[in-house]
Amino acid sequence: MEKQEEYLLKEKKDGTKIMVRDVQLVLLEMVKEIDKICVDNKIEYCLTGGSTIGAYKYKGFIPWDDDFDIAMMRSEYKKFIKALEKDLDKEKYTFHCFEKNRKYDVTWPYMKIRKKNTYIREVNKLLPNRCTDCDGIFIDVFVYDHMSKYTVFDLPLRLCNSLLMPVIIFFENLKINPIPLKHLYRFNAKMYGFLCRKSKYIGDDLTWTYRNPMTPLRYRKEKIFPPVRVPFEDMHLPVQNDMKEYMICHWGEKVFEPLPESKRKPGHVHDISLTSDKPED
């Protein structure tokens, strides 16, 4: 792999710098742990989002990418929670999800796996971490579920959750935990997936509402699963069965064009520490 340009995340008061690559190495250590757990427990998952682009274009991380995303079907996610409870190295890591902590924000990805004794504060101030036992560097876990290819069937429950999302965030920012609304939000998603269980199409679970509800992403399931393993840094990781088709569906043909230098910037981190569970400055 060719030498990558370095991207600065933070310069501390003593002049030492935290680079994007420093965070990527922490994430790589974490994903090795997660991958082993999934292999040992026969859990099917794949990289998603920018992590897939990194695998395709760079055989590793996008040089300026400061996060890591994986996805799995809902049935695998249930197995995954049990596997983490059993096999995750509790000295190094923890995981947050609504199933285990009702403070968890259900408008986030389904789970965040965090490294202890590190700290990260995301750019988005409207969605602070309520699971205050750990604010560590994390990997996002998304859930895929079956979905309809027909807008007339897809739209009602999708709109319902799109309207619920800002209400939940509003209460969260008043420091009120709207548990009944969270349950309804999750129930709508699970019911929709159940109703579409015979569909050949899958997509992000209905709790992921940060997209125009009129244009949801949907993929033929055989284009995503079973995943295939490709080189990623110093290991091989699972990606979509048809990685190129997934990327075109998600971003269009422009995804294969070089990104302008002005947009090659880390976009998720407001503050970070690799050696402490609190800000270093």
Side-chain angles (χ1 to χ4, degrees):
M1 189 182 300
E2 62 184 50
K3 182 173 172 27
Q4 296 179 350
E5 182 178 346
E6 293 188 341
Y7 293 86
L8 178 68
L9 272 181
K10 178 181 179 180
E11 184 170 358
K12 299 190 289 184
K13 290 179 179 179
D14 64 4
T16 58
K17 297 177 180 179
I18 299 176
M19 311 302 292
V20 168
R21 187 59 181 168
D22 297 323
V23 177
Q24 290 177 351
L25 293 176
V26 173
L27 292 170
L28 187 61
E29 170 198 318
M30 294 175 69
V31 80
K32 286 178 179 179
E33 171 93 356
I34 294 168
D35 184 65
K36 184 178 186 307
I37 290 172
C38 287
V39 170
D40 290 348
N41 290 275
K42 296 181 173 56
I43 294 169
E44 192 174 68
Y45 81 99
C46 65
L47 309 192
T48 191
S51 299
T52 296
I53 294 177
Y56 183 88
K57 287 188 172 184
Y58 299 96
K59 293 183 171 57
F61 290 94
I62 298 173
W64 54 90
D65 196 6
D66 52 8
D67 76 341
F68 197 90
D69 301 322
I70 66 172
M72 59 189 66
M73 293 298 293
R74 183 182 300 283
S75 57
E76 300 297 289
Y77 176 74
K78 294 176 182 177
K79 292 159 53 179
F80 188 53
I81 292 176
K82 294 179 180 178
L84 290 178
E85 291 179 319
K86 177 171 60 78
D87 295 338
L88 188 68
D89 185 344
K90 307 303 192 299
E91 294 290 321
K92 292 183 178 180
Y93 308 109
T94 189
F95 67 96
H96 295 154
C97 59
F98 187 62
E99 289 80 1
K100 296 299 175 180
N101 189 332
R102 293 297 188 246
K103 292 182 179 180
Y104 188 78
D105 189 341
V106 293
T107 70
W108 276 357
Y110 254 67
M111 178 188 290
K112 288 182 181 287
I113 303 171
R114 294 184 180 268
K115 183 172 183 182
K116 295 180 178 180
N117 300 313
T118 65
Y119 172 82
I120 190 168
R121 181 154 68 93
E122 294 184 82
V123 170
N124 192 333
K125 296 179 180 178
L126 290 177
L127 298 171
N129 177 27
R130 304 295 183 192
C131 304
T132 53
D133 62 297
C134 181
D135 280 312
I137 294 170
F138 60 83
I139 288 175
D140 280 326
V141 181
F142 289 83
V143 164
Y144 287 159
D145 208 343
H146 293 274
M147 63 185 296
S148 173
K149 68 176 180 178
Y150 301 108
T151 301
V152 68
F153 190 84
D154 179 273
L155 193 57
L157 283 173
R158 190 173 297 278
L159 276 177
C160 182
N161 269 13
S162 293
L163 294 172
L164 272 175
M165 180 265 286
V167 178
I168 290 171
I169 292 175
F170 173 77
F171 281 112
E172 290 273 26
N173 281 279
L174 291 178
K175 298 185 178 179
I176 299 171
N177 190 6
I179 294 177
L181 294 181
K182 289 181 173 182
H183 279 296
L184 176 60
Y185 192 77
R186 281 289 184 90
F187 175 78
N188 288 342
K190 291 177 182 177
M191 180 171 65
Y192 177 69
F194 177 78
L195 292 173
C196 298
R197 63 193 181 278
K198 294 183 180 179
S199 172
K200 295 179 181 180
Y201 292 87
I202 64 172
D204 289 313
D205 163 273
L206 214 61
T207 60
W208 189 248
T209 51
Y210 298 96
R211 186 177 173 87
N212 185 336
M214 295 297 297
T215 57
L217 292 171
R218 62 170 62 87
Y219 321 99
R220 291 189 69 90
K221 188 178 180 182
E222 72 266 18
K223 296 290 185 178
I224 309 296
F225 297 109
V228 294
R229 286 191 172 254
V230 300
F232 193 97
E233 302 288 342
D234 62 350
M235 60 187 304
H236 284 71
L237 289 175
V239 298
Q240 291 78 9
N241 188 277
D242 189 336
M243 181 166 41
K244 190 172 181 179
E245 178 67 21
Y246 162 79
M247 291 166 63
I248 292 171
C249 182
H250 200 303
W251 294 281
E253 295 283 352
K254 65 181 181 180
V255 72
F256 303 112
E257 300 171 3
L259 196 67
E261 285 193 22
S262 61
K263 294 185 177 181
R264 298 176 190 178
K265 299 177 181 178
H268 300 90
V269 177
H270 179 80
D271 196 7
I272 192 163
S273 169
L274 304 181
T275 58
S276 171
D277 59 0
K278 297 179 181 178
E280 291 179 333
D281 290 345

